[in-house]
Amino acid sequence: MGAEKDHIIWYRLRGLGLLCLCSLLFFVGAYIGNQKSITASSTVNGRKLPIYCVKTEEKKVALTFDAAWGNDDTEKILDILDRNSVKATFFMTGGWVNKYPKDVKKIAEKGHDLGNHSQNHKNMSQLSKEEILQEIRPVKEQVKALTGIDMKLFRAPYGDYDNELIETVVSDGYLPIQWDVDSEDWKDYGVESIIQKVTEHPHLGNGSIILMHNGAKYTAQALETVICRLKEKGYRLVTVSELVYRDNYHMDVEGRQIKNN
């Protein structure tokens, strides 16, 4: 009887041990799962950052165009992109969308990325949360009505942002996008200046986001050479949506988006 009792006690202790082990494994798994469910962190040293570029081993970069004024060269730009089998990203203001709805549709039909550039191209760091939402929501509605596309990318006019802007656009379903290579085409320095600024830029590298403007004076003339030289350097040109991570990432001090392990 004593031996049988000892066996019962041993089995109960073993069962209790297995229960404790299972519980421990459950809580460890839940902790790890919770860590993985943290979708993103854009905060570095207390400051919230937009995505300037992306850390990737692939030789790919994103070509982007801000569309806030002018439209003389949009068709030329689209033809050049088509001819070179390149998809780009267009960040459009509400004013531009209202003025050139056919071109918005054409950009979407050709498979390019569509991004929100605010309604009125204001310095948005100077706006309240309510005013920020008033700047971004009408553009989204206009573009969806024209194309059926829900825009998920936002670029602040002038590259002007603060913590509240980043928090607000992220809470409204956007990834805030900046750039690390500026063509400076908006300065109208000429074709060669644009080519040199992009293709020889010190920050150009895997995951770069390149800023251009569809309404700048020399952009269309420089574009084909820019594309060719980037390809000669081994880069594949992709949309911002293809380049960035949607979740499970963090940022470094340079605004580089890094995938969590």
mmCIF file of all heavy atoms in Angstrom, residues 133 136-137 140 152 167-174:
data_model
loop_
_atom_site.group_PDB
_atom_site.id
_atom_site.type_symbol
_atom_site.label_atom_id
_atom_site.label_comp_id
_atom_site.label_asym_id
_atom_site.label_seq_id
_atom_site.Cartn_x
_atom_site.Cartn_y
_atom_site.Cartn_z
ATOM 1 N N LEU A 133 -6.304 66.382 -40.265
ATOM 2 C CA LEU A 133 -7.294 65.455 -40.828
ATOM 3 C C LEU A 133 -8.105 66.115 -41.935
ATOM 4 O O LEU A 133 -8.445 65.481 -42.939
ATOM 5 C CB LEU A 133 -8.218 64.946 -39.722
ATOM 6 C CG LEU A 133 -7.562 64.017 -38.694
ATOM 7 C CD1 LEU A 133 -8.524 63.702 -37.557
ATOM 8 C CD2 LEU A 133 -7.064 62.734 -39.341
ATOM 9 N N ILE A 136 -5.972 65.831 -45.079
ATOM 10 C CA ILE A 136 -5.671 64.543 -45.709
ATOM 11 C C ILE A 136 -6.913 63.752 -46.136
ATOM 12 O O ILE A 136 -6.869 63.027 -47.131
ATOM 13 C CB ILE A 136 -4.767 63.660 -44.815
ATOM 14 C CG1 ILE A 136 -5.448 63.321 -43.492
ATOM 15 C CG2 ILE A 136 -3.435 64.353 -44.587
ATOM 16 C CD1 ILE A 136 -4.607 62.398 -42.598
ATOM 17 N N ARG A 137 -8.004 63.906 -45.419
ATOM 18 C CA ARG A 137 -9.166 63.070 -45.721
ATOM 19 C C ARG A 137 -9.873 63.414 -47.032
ATOM 20 O O ARG A 137 -10.277 62.508 -47.769
ATOM 21 C CB ARG A 137 -10.141 63.087 -44.536
ATOM 22 C CG ARG A 137 -9.594 62.269 -43.371
ATOM 23 C CD ARG A 137 -10.517 62.213 -42.190
ATOM 24 N NE ARG A 137 -10.022 61.264 -41.188
ATOM 25 C CZ ARG A 137 -10.562 61.116 -39.975
ATOM 26 N NH1 ARG A 137 -11.604 61.853 -39.620
ATOM 27 N NH2 ARG A 137 -10.055 60.240 -39.134
ATOM 28 N N LYS A 140 -8.082 61.755 -50.023
ATOM 29 C CA LYS A 140 -8.328 60.312 -50.082
ATOM 30 C C LYS A 140 -9.679 60.012 -50.709
ATOM 31 O O LYS A 140 -9.816 59.107 -51.540
ATOM 32 C CB LYS A 140 -8.255 59.718 -48.671
ATOM 33 C CG LYS A 140 -8.374 58.202 -48.638
ATOM 34 C CD LYS A 140 -8.075 57.673 -47.257
ATOM 35 C CE LYS A 140 -7.995 56.156 -47.268
ATOM 36 N NZ LYS A 140 -7.556 55.618 -45.965
ATOM 37 N N LYS A 152 -2.584 54.714 -49.101
ATOM 38 C CA LYS A 152 -2.007 54.318 -47.813
ATOM 39 C C LYS A 152 -0.663 54.999 -47.545
ATOM 40 O O LYS A 152 -0.008 54.703 -46.547
ATOM 41 C CB LYS A 152 -1.813 52.800 -47.774
ATOM 42 C CG LYS A 152 -3.094 51.994 -47.946
ATOM 43 C CD LYS A 152 -4.079 52.231 -46.817
ATOM 44 C CE LYS A 152 -5.315 51.363 -46.960
ATOM 45 N NZ LYS A 152 -6.311 51.644 -45.893
ATOM 46 N N GLU A 167 1.904 60.998 -35.834
ATOM 47 C CA GLU A 167 0.913 60.232 -35.081
ATOM 48 C C GLU A 167 -0.454 60.264 -35.765
ATOM 49 O O GLU A 167 -1.154 59.248 -35.850
ATOM 50 C CB GLU A 167 0.779 60.807 -33.670
ATOM 51 C CG GLU A 167 1.966 60.534 -32.768
ATOM 52 C CD GLU A 167 1.850 61.266 -31.435
ATOM 53 O OE1 GLU A 167 0.865 62.024 -31.247
ATOM 54 O OE2 GLU A 167 2.745 61.083 -30.593
ATOM 55 N N THR A 168 -0.829 61.441 -36.259
ATOM 56 C CA THR A 168 -2.159 61.603 -36.849
ATOM 57 C C THR A 168 -2.299 60.822 -38.148
ATOM 58 O O THR A 168 -3.297 60.118 -38.357
ATOM 59 C CB THR A 168 -2.464 63.090 -37.097
ATOM 60 O OG1 THR A 168 -2.355 63.805 -35.861
ATOM 61 C CG2 THR A 168 -3.862 63.272 -37.662
ATOM 62 N N VAL A 169 -1.317 60.923 -39.034
ATOM 63 C CA VAL A 169 -1.442 60.222 -40.317
ATOM 64 C C VAL A 169 -1.345 58.711 -40.133
ATOM 65 O O VAL A 169 -2.036 57.947 -40.824
ATOM 66 C CB VAL A 169 -0.419 60.733 -41.365
ATOM 67 C CG1 VAL A 169 -0.642 62.201 -41.651
ATOM 68 C CG2 VAL A 169 1.020 60.477 -40.942
ATOM 69 N N VAL A 170 -0.517 58.265 -39.184
ATOM 70 C CA VAL A 170 -0.417 56.829 -38.913
ATOM 71 C C VAL A 170 -1.738 56.311 -38.356
ATOM 72 O O VAL A 170 -2.229 55.250 -38.771
ATOM 73 C CB VAL A 170 0.746 56.529 -37.942
ATOM 74 C CG1 VAL A 170 0.682 55.091 -37.434
ATOM 75 C CG2 VAL A 170 2.087 56.780 -38.633
ATOM 76 N N SER A 171 -2.337 57.055 -37.428
ATOM 77 C CA SER A 171 -3.621 56.627 -36.856
ATOM 78 C C SER A 171 -4.726 56.637 -37.900
ATOM 79 O O SER A 171 -5.747 55.951 -37.738
ATOM 80 C CB SER A 171 -3.995 57.533 -35.682
ATOM 81 O OG SER A 171 -4.309 58.840 -36.122
ATOM 82 N N ASP A 172 -4.529 57.397 -38.991
ATOM 83 C CA ASP A 172 -5.522 57.442 -40.066
ATOM 84 C C ASP A 172 -5.221 56.434 -41.176
ATOM 85 O O ASP A 172 -5.831 56.491 -42.245
ATOM 86 C CB ASP A 172 -5.599 58.860 -40.648
ATOM 87 C CG ASP A 172 -7.019 59.228 -41.088
ATOM 88 O OD1 ASP A 172 -7.966 58.963 -40.316
ATOM 89 O OD2 ASP A 172 -7.184 59.782 -42.191
ATOM 90 N N GLY A 173 -4.271 55.553 -40.922
ATOM 91 C CA GLY A 173 -4.022 54.446 -41.848
ATOM 92 C C GLY A 173 -2.926 54.648 -42.860
ATOM 93 O O GLY A 173 -2.807 53.878 -43.815
ATOM 94 N N TYR A 174 -2.076 55.676 -42.669
ATOM 95 C CA TYR A 174 -1.014 55.974 -43.638
ATOM 96 C C TYR A 174 0.371 55.604 -43.127
ATOM 97 O O TYR A 174 0.630 55.627 -41.921
ATOM 98 C CB TYR A 174 -0.990 57.471 -43.960
ATOM 99 C CG TYR A 174 -2.150 57.966 -44.755
ATOM 100 C CD1 TYR A 174 -3.276 58.498 -44.131
ATOM 101 C CD2 TYR A 174 -2.134 57.926 -46.149
ATOM 102 C CE1 TYR A 174 -4.348 58.968 -44.877
ATOM 103 C CE2 TYR A 174 -3.201 58.402 -46.894
ATOM 104 C CZ TYR A 174 -4.301 58.920 -46.249
ATOM 105 O OH TYR A 174 -5.361 59.381 -46.986
#
